[in-house]
Amino acid sequence: LRQLVGRIIRRGIEAGEFREIDAAVATRMLASLFGTNAMWCTKRKFFPHIHDKTDEQVFAEIADFYVNALRI
């Protein structure tokens, strides 16, 4: 999966859609975001700032954050 994501990021860089960034590092950062999201989903009571959000809302915010971090 990491190789697939890395290739997608490299294609985005080559197409000029993403800024120059180390694709391997960007892939690890994405994995970290999803790992943290999994923790939030299972321990909502410890994260009151997202307690009322659905999994879909949190995922959408993570995706928006990540894609915008890659953009030029």
Side-chain angles (χ1 to χ4, degrees), residues 11 58 61 71:
R11 283 187 203 156
V58 174
E61 289 184 22
R71 287 193 179 136

Side-chain angles (χ1 to χ4, degrees), residues 11-51:
R11 283 187 203 156
I13 294 167
E14 292 167 4
E17 294 180 24
F18 297 155
R19 62 188 176 89
E20 287 291 327
I21 191 168
D22 184 324
V25 172
T27 300
R28 285 192 302 270
M29 294 302 294
L30 181 61
S32 177
L33 286 170
F34 282 116
T36 302
N37 184 52
M39 184 176 65
W40 288 340
C41 288
T42 61
K43 306 287 186 193
R44 287 185 185 272
K45 63 184 177 186
F46 298 117
F47 301 96
H49 58 286
I50 63 161
H51 182 31

